[in-house]
Amino acid sequence: MKGTVDRIEETFAVCEMDGRIMQNIPLSAFTEQPKDGDIFDFENGIAVLKPAETAERKEEIQSLFERLKKKK
């Protein structure tokens, strides 16, 4: 299952999972310390960050933002 970290709260990450379901995942389940916006795969209780997918998503969002600014 693929997810995106929405935010970090104390000892868990609040994540948006496939289908827009919000789920709290313990930080101990992540192979690395996650940050807001990180994309990860979650299988068998282990969350593996996907830095390339995260960077690609951030570039897409920045591009959309720039196009919106130009429309003014």
Side-chain angles (χ1 to χ4, degrees), residues 6-64:
D6 182 64
R7 63 186 179 277
I8 305 296
E9 291 189 358
E10 298 179 17
T11 60
F12 59 90
V14 179
C15 304
E16 182 179 326
M17 306 305 287
D18 293 332
R20 305 225 180 244
I21 297 169
M22 299 305 283
Q23 182 175 344
N24 295 338
I25 299 176
L27 292 176
S28 60
F30 285 85
T31 57
E32 300 174 51
Q33 181 66 32
K35 299 181 299 289
D36 297 355
D38 280 347
I39 295 174
F40 62 94
D41 282 332
F42 189 62
E43 298 293 332
N44 301 318
I46 299 173
V48 179
L49 297 179
K50 300 294 186 182
E53 290 181 42
T54 300
E56 185 178 309
R57 170 64 71 77
K58 287 182 180 183
E59 286 178 25
E60 288 174 15
I61 291 169
Q62 185 63 35
S63 176
L64 287 170

